[in-house]
Amino acid sequence: MFENTYIQHRIQKANTLRELGINPYRNDSKVTMSNQEFLDTFAYLRQSESSEKQEADSRVWIKGRVKFLRLMGKASFIKVEDSTALLQVYFSQNELGDFFKILKKNLDVGDIVNILGFPFITKTGELSIHAIEFKLLTKAIVPLPEKFHGLNDVELRYRQRYVDLIVNKEVRDTFIVRSQVISCLRRFFESKGFLEVETPMLHPIPGGANARPFITHHNALNVERYLRIAPELYLKRLIVGGFEAVFEINRNFRNEGIDHSHNPEFSMIEFYWAYHDYNDLITLTQELLVSLLESLHLPKILPFGDVQIDFDCFSKLSYKESLHALGGIDETIVQDKKKLKAFLLQHHIKIEPDLSYAKLLNAAFDHFVESKLINPTFITDYPIDISPLAKRNDKDSAIADRFELFIGGREIANGFSELNDPIDQLERFKTQVAEKEKGDMEAQYMDEDFVWALGHGMPPTAGQGIGIDRLVMLLTNSRSIKDVILFPAMKPTAENYNVIDKE
């Protein structure tokens, strides 16, 4: 693994330090302030009228990774980066004595150091720290690739995210935003009286969404278990049990394709709200998005690739209306199954020969409408046949009281008035089982315990799931879901740890 010439050279440096009695992996670091705190605290020195632009009595410890070296005769400059900022360090033989020569020979970019010093302004006007004590905390034996940030290395960046984070500050910033988004989501729902809960990740029956599950084996029970595809059915059991507003920030797993907007392991927030309906969710979701932008100090108009998303421009459109108004499909075609199937085949859209009318509509929507939904758009009145857990509309039993929120041409959220009629739910599960027996691997399983739970009475409830990964993509202008997941799923490959760019 460590046969590379450059790595061997660094290993030798680590051994040299040991021979000199210096531990290259010491564990006695001290920190007075972060690099950014240092820059903020002593910024006044730039405006000082004194010729002595330094504070020799203000001695502080800083730490970080060496990102730049300029080694000279009896004095040198390095730049050290911690999680907050990049800071220039000056050190010389006058203060460090013989250790200065040792550093010059054995210090490398990538090493982690700890420095005691005082602030001063260099001749070029840069606020820096003048080192009077210098500790090498960690010797990095693998050099940082010089071209790691290049587009050609995108696969390497995902596989070796730790290097990506070291080299590319904008990547770290993206994941800081992600963490802030999750924190904001939690505070928002807690402020609305929702209770955060945790439900199982290993399910005896996969449910809550139409998706193909991952299967594992529970040795102690000697039974198969499924990684959850959604927490929905467990959360609704809690509504039956008497909790009236619950949410879970959860990890879901779906054994399906990988592309720019899909990862088999992904994050969502799901929440359920008793004595409310899907119209209440639409209002709540708009409030949530506005709150997020305000908390993150983001403008109402955000760039996303080649388009601009206006969060002051929410709209609502019915499912079939969108096929005509945005998809450009004539209403007579939308209303007729045979004509719709012929239309899809004419446009070379691959469809199964025995697709239901609702699934034909869904294929048309995916192909002709979804990519055009740039500003936040709530698509409502979904066909009941593709909404197995949603309540039927009171006026039209063929549609569900359901919406999906689309932003930037992608689905971000799915919400509906929850089905609470146990007999209706049982029949819909039976329909799903029949679809599975025909070969639909994503159809839902029968969950008799959930039906039994509904039999005890679930109040009118609204429920929704929001994809956190896709939401972060929008807020950070990231075009691939892999850019907002720290360790995305990657196709296995023969590992090559000697990919080191050197001019």
Side-chain angles (χ1 to χ4, degrees):
M1 175 180 282
F2 294 132
E3 291 81 8
N4 181 279
T5 301
Y6 298 106
I7 295 176
Q8 285 296 314
H9 185 56
R10 288 191 175 210
I11 291 175
Q12 183 56 52
K13 289 183 178 182
N15 291 334
T16 297
L17 290 170
R18 290 189 178 97
E19 291 168 3
L20 294 170
I22 300 169
N23 181 2
Y25 300 98
R26 60 193 297 172
N27 193 33
D28 59 345
S29 60
K30 301 177 182 179
V31 180
T32 307
M33 58 179 60
S34 71
N35 289 357
Q36 188 60 56
E37 288 173 333
F38 180 95
L39 294 171
D40 292 341
T41 301
F42 301 109
Y44 69 87
L45 287 175
R46 292 193 182 93
Q47 282 77 45
S48 174
E49 295 181 0
S50 169
S51 59
E52 290 288 322
K53 292 191 174 185
Q54 64 179 35
E55 286 285 358
D57 294 332
S58 297
R59 299 188 175 188
V60 299
W61 284 97
I62 63 99
K63 85 310 186 190
R65 186 184 297 274
V66 177
K67 299 299 287 289
F68 171 82
L69 283 172
R70 191 169 80 225
L71 303 176
M72 300 175 286
K74 295 184 178 181
S76 296
F77 285 94
I78 64 173
K79 291 195 174 181
V80 172
E81 187 176 49
D82 69 357
S83 63
T84 65
L86 192 67
L87 177 63
Q88 182 167 267
V89 179
Y90 169 84
F91 61 104
S92 70
Q93 188 170 329
N94 289 339
E95 283 80 19
L96 302 184
D98 291 340
F99 188 57
F100 175 78
K101 296 178 182 178
I102 295 172
L103 280 175
K104 281 184 64 177
K105 291 181 180 179
N106 297 288
L107 189 66
D108 289 296
V109 169
D111 292 349
I112 298 172
V113 298
N114 196 191
I115 291 160
L116 174 66
F118 59 85
F120 80 109
I121 303 295
T122 66
K123 292 179 180 179
T124 60
E126 184 170 354
L127 176 57
S128 307
I129 184 169
H130 187 130
I132 58 175
E133 188 173 341
F134 198 117
K135 298 179 183 178
L136 175 61
L137 297 179
T138 303
K139 182 66 188 172
I141 64 171
V142 179
L144 296 175
E146 296 173 8
K147 299 178 182 178
F148 196 82
H149 60 280
L151 294 177
N152 292 335
D153 296 306
V154 65
E155 288 291 313
L156 182 61
R157 287 177 50 210
Y158 297 145
R159 293 182 189 281
Q160 297 184 17
R161 181 67 86 186
Y162 42 91
V163 185
D164 193 19
L165 293 169
I166 292 171
V167 174
N168 297 316
K169 181 180 181 299
E170 65 276 11
V171 174
R172 296 201 302 274
D173 291 342
T174 293
F175 288 102
I176 289 172
V177 171
R178 181 189 175 102
S179 178
Q180 292 170 340
V181 167
I182 293 171
S183 179
C184 289
L185 289 171
R186 178 173 281 114
R187 289 198 304 271
F188 178 86
F189 283 98
E190 287 177 341
S191 73
K192 297 294 183 182
F194 283 75
L195 179 72
E196 183 172 10
V197 297
E198 296 172 300
T199 62
M201 294 181 72
L202 290 175
H203 290 189
I205 300 171
N210 285 39
R212 190 170 182 173
F214 287 93
I215 305 174
T216 187
H217 187 78
H218 195 299
N219 290 333
L221 298 177
N222 193 29
V223 292
E224 283 191 338
R225 284 290 182 262
Y226 302 87
L227 293 182
R228 73 171 169 207
I229 58 177
E232 177 170 342
L233 302 187
Y234 282 94
L235 293 173
K236 287 195 283 194
R237 284 174 169 95
L238 297 180
I239 298 293
V240 171
F243 291 119
E244 294 182 356
V246 295
F247 76 94
E248 182 173 11
I249 296 173
N250 56 78
R251 303 288 283 180
N252 295 327
F253 307 84
R254 298 182 185 177
N255 199 352
E256 52 194 24
I258 301 174
D259 58 28
H260 288 305
S261 60
H262 291 87
N263 193 69
E265 178 182 358
F266 61 98
S267 298
M268 291 185 69
I269 179 169
E270 286 206 21
F271 51 97
Y272 292 82
W273 203 10
Y275 306 103
H276 291 82
D277 64 21
Y278 80 111
N279 289 303
D280 297 316
L281 291 181
I282 289 176
T283 302
L284 184 71
T285 304
Q286 288 186 223
E287 185 181 345
L288 169 62
L289 290 173
V290 171
S291 173
L292 267 179
L293 294 175
E294 290 176 350
S295 298
L296 298 171
H297 306 291
L298 293 173
K300 290 289 185 69
I301 298 178
L302 291 179
F304 187 61
D306 298 329
V307 300
Q308 299 281 326
I309 299 172
D310 188 349
F311 284 91
D312 263 336
C313 189
F314 286 89
S315 61
K316 186 164 66 172
L317 200 63
S318 75
Y319 192 81
K320 286 188 176 181
E321 186 182 358
S322 72
L323 290 169
H324 173 63
L326 297 178
I329 307 173
D330 191 274
E331 287 187 36
T332 59
I333 295 175
V334 172
Q335 301 295 339
D336 187 287
K337 178 181 178 181
K338 290 183 178 180
K339 289 181 179 180
L340 180 59
K341 183 174 182 180
F343 178 83
L344 294 174
L345 292 174
Q346 180 185 346
H347 285 80
H348 309 291
I349 298 172
K350 293 182 179 180
I351 55 175
E352 297 297 326
D354 57 349
L355 280 187
S356 67
Y357 174 50
K359 290 188 176 180
L360 290 172
L361 288 171
N362 204 44
F365 182 89
D366 289 348
H367 191 83
F368 294 103
V369 178
E370 185 169 340
S371 63
K372 298 176 182 177
L373 301 172
I374 304 303
N375 291 330
T377 306
F378 295 95
I379 300 295
T380 64
D381 302 338
Y382 274 73
I384 197 71
D385 291 350
I386 56 173
S387 309
L389 298 168
K391 181 173 284 189
R392 294 179 189 272
N393 183 270
D394 289 337
K395 295 179 180 178
D396 185 350
S397 62
I399 63 174
D401 283 346
R402 172 190 174 191
F403 72 85
E404 286 190 353
L405 171 63
F406 291 85
I407 311 176
R410 292 191 176 98
E411 177 204 344
I412 301 298
N414 183 19
F416 39 84
S417 299
E418 301 293 339
L419 176 60
N420 60 349
D421 179 342
I423 304 303
D424 190 356
Q425 182 65 82
L426 179 62
E427 293 304 313
R428 293 204 220 173
F429 273 145
K430 289 179 179 179
T431 300
Q432 288 286 303
V433 170
E435 291 294 319
K436 185 172 288 293
E437 290 174 350
K438 291 179 183 178
D440 185 351
M441 299 299 293
E442 294 187 352
Q444 296 198 37
Y445 290 69
M446 172 64 71
D447 190 336
E448 293 182 349
D449 181 76
F450 176 68
V451 175
W452 189 253
L454 289 184
H456 291 79
M458 185 176 80
T461 299
Q464 183 175 338
I466 300 175
I468 291 175
D469 307 312
R470 292 186 182 181
L471 183 59
V472 175
M473 287 174 66
L474 290 173
L475 299 176
T476 59
N477 194 11
S478 300
R479 300 300 291 171
S480 172
I481 198 170
K482 292 180 180 179
D483 291 330
V484 299
I485 295 176
L486 280 168
F487 301 101
M490 302 292 291
K491 186 177 180 179
T493 184
E495 298 290 357
N496 181 4
Y497 292 100
N498 293 322
V499 181
I500 300 173
D501 297 324
K502 287 291 179 181
E503 297 292 349

